[in-house]
Amino acid sequence: MGCGPRGASVVERILANAPEVLAGARLDLHVVDPYPPGAGRTWHTDQPRLLWMNSAAAEVTMFPDASVTCAGPARPGPTTGEWLGGPFHDGAYAARADQGRYLRWFFDEVTGRLPYGVRLFVHRTRALDVVRTGGSGGAQRVVLEGAAPLEVDHVVIAPGHLGARPAPAPAGVTRIGPGPADPERLDAIPPGAAVVTRGLGLVFVDCAILLTQGRGGRFLREDGRLRYVPSGREPRLVAGSRRGVPLPPRPAPRAAADEPYEPPRIATLAACRERLARPGASFRADVWPLVVAELTWRWYRALWSRRPGRVTLRWEEFDERFRSLPPGDPRQTQLIRSAVPDPADRLDLARLEAPLAGRRWSGPDALQRDVLAHMRQALRRRTDPAGGAEAAVVSALAATGAVVEELWRSGEMAAPDVAEALERFSFGAFLSSGPPVLRAEQLLALAEAGVVTFTGPGTRVETVPGDDGRHVVRAHSPAVPVVHEAAVLLEARMEPGGAKDAGNPLIRALAGRGELTEDQEAGAGAGLLRLHGPALHPVGADGRVHRDRTVAGPAQFPRAGTDAAFFRQNDAVARCALGAL
């Protein structure tokens, strides 16, 4: 139930494992999704071509290759880039609609020849509920919208982002989102209207492009820099977030290619596992220092490689001394200070995570100047071939994040540790999940043209009654003495939702009966479901593990050749559904 990328991958793994596990026994496989299987809701193929992926097409794959260590067989196949063949935006990125075409082809490809004894049924509708009909286990009835129910033995729920049902807007306020950029809703914003925007991530970038270039505006390159030429149909975007600055761009393809994926050297799965097994261990005290040490080591390895004139020791000596010390040992800091004389060359995670933290401005113009300067500097760092240290950290975040996810999904981390890990890695998303370089340049041009105005760090948004009794939206940062007002609120973010108020009716139904619960220790409403084991079985309010059900949440697209946890998890889910686990 739910056949976007995650669900489609589970289908592929079921079909790949069926010959060995079932040995020709009959299997009826039902796929339930109102949207085309593979692409699902998010990657539908008729969305505007101005919406791009933020992962390089050459890296993204849906085929588990020989690098994947799982019980089921490999199924080699092309990456998005190999299948599309180009051309690509900014030299590397596919349109989201084209990624949807790849995903739909993938589903058709893997289901085109079914194993002996397997029948496939695709139901283009929504699942509203799953009700047990066989007592303590076994038979279940899937209630469909506008169609006869299905009688099944095992269910896999792949709902994508849960998201909360949108709250109604007060009188006088137009509220759009939260959720992915919605072209139809955005069309309702009048030209010239002031729009308070909450969120400066990828959804914001998509919305900004649709509301400017999508309305006839143009970007011109003059003397190496982009300039925005308005069409006159743009609104005025007043945008803020917790950090107050947009996501830095993804490292340019050349810099990223110089930092190929490699498994951790310090924060290895074995090292993290060993630390968590200690009495009284916690993620914060025992695992996070390993992650920081990994990021730090990779930063300085890149510095030594790209700018050897900036350091005073041979790399071999620094490497040996750094890794001989326990992660977090003050002597590591002393070693760095002696080997890297200029503080500007040293890794400062706090500065990278919150560039504006602790600062104050006399007015909005001063803030705008500083945010623009920060954006220009971020572009220089992410595109400088002689740099690369930030690209190394981005690569390290991907590698260590995969280790932590494996510990989480295997049940080796308690709920408080999972919550801590998600909080700690939020800066990882900030550093590594940004838009392509060209999109960051375009956003800078929009800000320089006055179409986008930033509100500052710690922005607070509220709706209050206006003088005429109708409500207005106000945005204010405690770091800047100004309040911005508008009649339109654009929630340009993916808001986590609790299970009981999720936008998905199936999730709400199961949560309402206590058959699907959130990890209360992680914080209710955080969208973190209580799941058990590698097959991701939901745990009910009574503590029961529903072993004939799986909830497979959204995940980033896997990279080819990296033994991605995405495939290993889906293989375990598939084998459980087939009865092999």
Side-chain angles (χ1 to χ4, degrees), residues 37 68 95 115 144 172 178 208 222 286 365 375 386 425 428 444 469 484 488:
V68 180
L144 302 180
E222 299 174 346
D286 297 279
D365 292 342
M375 294 172 68
F425 269 91
L444 174 61
H484 303 270
V488 181

Side-chain angles (χ1 to χ4, degrees), residues 86-101:
F88 299 111
H89 299 292
D90 204 13
Y93 301 93
R96 294 170 66 88
D98 286 337
Q99 176 68 4
R101 292 198 298 117

Side-chain angles (χ1 to χ4, degrees), residues 268-286:
T268 64
L269 181 60
C272 293
R273 220 168 234 156
E274 185 273 327
R275 287 199 163 208
L276 279 178
R278 299 173 182 174
S282 70
F283 179 86
R284 177 197 294 263
D286 297 279

Side-chain angles (χ1 to χ4, degrees), residues 9-321:
S9 178
V10 172
V11 167
E12 183 277 323
R13 288 289 81 198
I14 288 174
L15 297 177
N17 281 278
E20 176 219 331
V21 177
L22 299 181
R26 176 180 168 181
L27 170 70
D28 285 350
L29 177 58
H30 296 269
V31 171
V32 180
D33 196 317
Y35 300 94
R41 175 188 59 192
T42 300
W43 301 96
H44 60 90
T45 56
D46 58 351
Q47 59 189 297
R49 301 192 63 80
L50 284 174
L51 300 179
W52 301 352
M53 294 186 68
N54 75 318
S55 296
E59 297 178 348
V60 172
T61 187
M62 287 292 290
F63 290 92
D65 55 34
S67 73
V68 180
T69 53
C70 63
R75 190 196 295 260
T79 64
T80 296
E82 290 167 341
W83 186 78
L84 288 173
F88 299 111
H89 299 292
D90 204 13
Y93 301 93
R96 294 170 66 88
D98 286 337
Q99 176 68 4
R101 292 198 298 117
Y102 170 74
L103 292 168
R104 290 179 66 172
W105 169 80
F106 166 79
F107 182 84
D108 292 341
E109 177 73 8
V110 301
T111 59
R113 290 185 179 181
L114 299 176
Y116 177 79
V118 177
R119 299 190 301 177
L120 175 69
F121 304 88
V122 176
H123 308 269
R124 293 289 297 274
T125 184
R126 292 196 302 173
L128 302 178
D129 202 353
V130 177
V131 182
R132 295 198 176 279
T133 58
S136 60
Q140 305 178 71
R141 177 175 294 124
V142 179
V143 181
L144 302 180
E145 184 176 56
L150 305 174
E151 306 295 333
V152 302
D153 302 297
H154 193 104
V155 297
V156 177
I157 303 167
H161 289 281
L162 294 185
R165 285 183 288 182
V173 171
T174 299
R175 185 172 185 263
I176 300 173
D182 185 336
E184 291 186 7
R185 296 292 309 279
L186 293 174
D187 284 345
I189 300 177
V195 179
V196 164
T197 304
R198 180 154 45 188
L200 287 172
L202 295 176
V203 175
F204 169 70
V205 174
D206 287 344
C207 291
I209 291 297
L210 291 175
L211 290 168
T212 54
Q213 191 177 10
R215 293 190 174 190
R218 295 178 297 130
F219 293 98
L220 302 180
R221 191 170 293 278
E222 299 174 346
D223 298 325
R225 294 180 59 177
L226 283 188
R227 179 173 67 88
Y228 180 67
V229 181
S231 69
R233 299 170 57 209
E234 303 86 352
R236 295 179 292 110
L237 302 179
V238 180
S241 67
R242 178 162 60 96
R243 291 183 175 87
V245 295
L247 298 178
R250 296 288 294 254
R254 177 176 175 180
D258 290 341
E259 289 295 333
Y261 175 85
E262 62 175 305
R265 300 284 189 92
I266 299 171
T268 64
L269 181 60
C272 293
R273 220 168 234 156
E274 185 273 327
R275 287 199 163 208
L276 279 178
R278 299 173 182 174
S282 70
F283 179 86
R284 177 197 294 263
D286 297 279
V287 176
W288 183 245
L290 290 176
V291 173
V292 172
E294 183 77 36
L295 304 182
T296 304
W297 181 80
R298 294 214 198 182
W299 171 284
Y300 290 110
R301 184 178 64 172
L303 178 67
W304 255 260
S305 172
R306 311 289 179 83
R307 292 182 171 173
R310 310 288 294 175
V311 298
T312 62
L313 289 178
R314 292 183 306 107
W315 168 249
E316 292 77 13
E317 181 179 353
F318 178 89
D319 178 26
E320 181 181 359
R321 291 172 61 183

